[in-house]
Amino acid sequence: MSSSSIPPLHVLRGILRHLKSNCPSSKEGGSNSMRNFVMNQYRTSLQAPPQEMDGLRATAFNYYKLVSDVSERGMLHELDGGAENKLSPKEMSRRAAARAGLSLPVEHNA
């Protein structure tokens, strides 16, 4: 997905959501300098020439994707971390096979 296919307002809202949930100053209710910086950049980009506006949109989109991908990776890392302590060997084997697109044979207890 390219930066031109996503509306700039969607990207702005995504960045602001990230700042609201992850920046300590916004959690405390204080003035958030990062939020103010992002809003000022967005407002000044509205008056920018078309070529410069495209560059600013691409930068904002790349930051938005970076933030969302890093947060997803962190969530996946937390889910996967310590699996050997949380899951049985059989369940770990089943999940590893599923990641590779395979399924384990059914066990018949005699």
Side-chain angles (χ1 to χ4, degrees), residues 19-31:
L19 291 175
K20 183 178 180 181
S21 64
N22 294 341
C23 287
S25 60
S26 62
K27 289 180 183 176
E28 297 165 1
S31 65

Side-chain angles (χ1 to χ4, degrees), residues 3-16 38 42 45-46 53-54 56-58 60-61 64:
S3 63
S4 61
S5 65
I6 296 204
L9 195 56
H10 178 77
V11 173
L12 173 68
R13 287 179 180 158
I15 292 171
L16 292 176
V38 169
Y42 178 74
S45 74
L46 296 176
M53 187 182 296
D54 291 341
L56 292 171
R57 282 184 182 175
F61 177 75
Y64 171 66

Side-chain angles (χ1 to χ4, degrees), residues 33-70:
S33 59
M34 278 297 290
R35 183 184 187 286
N36 293 337
F37 174 77
V38 169
M39 289 302 296
N40 287 337
Q41 285 293 106
Y42 178 74
R43 289 182 187 118
T44 57
S45 74
L46 296 176
Q47 287 102 24
Q51 286 108 359
E52 187 178 335
M53 187 182 296
D54 291 341
L56 292 171
R57 282 184 182 175
T59 301
F61 177 75
N62 289 339
Y63 178 74
Y64 171 66
K65 288 300 291 176
L66 174 71
V67 163
S68 62
D69 290 347
V70 166

Side-chain angles (χ1 to χ4, degrees), residues 83-95:
E84 59 276 352
N85 298 330
K86 299 175 190 174
L87 304 173
S88 69
K90 187 184 293 186
E91 178 62 16
M92 286 177 43
S93 298
R94 187 196 66 75
R95 288 186 180 193

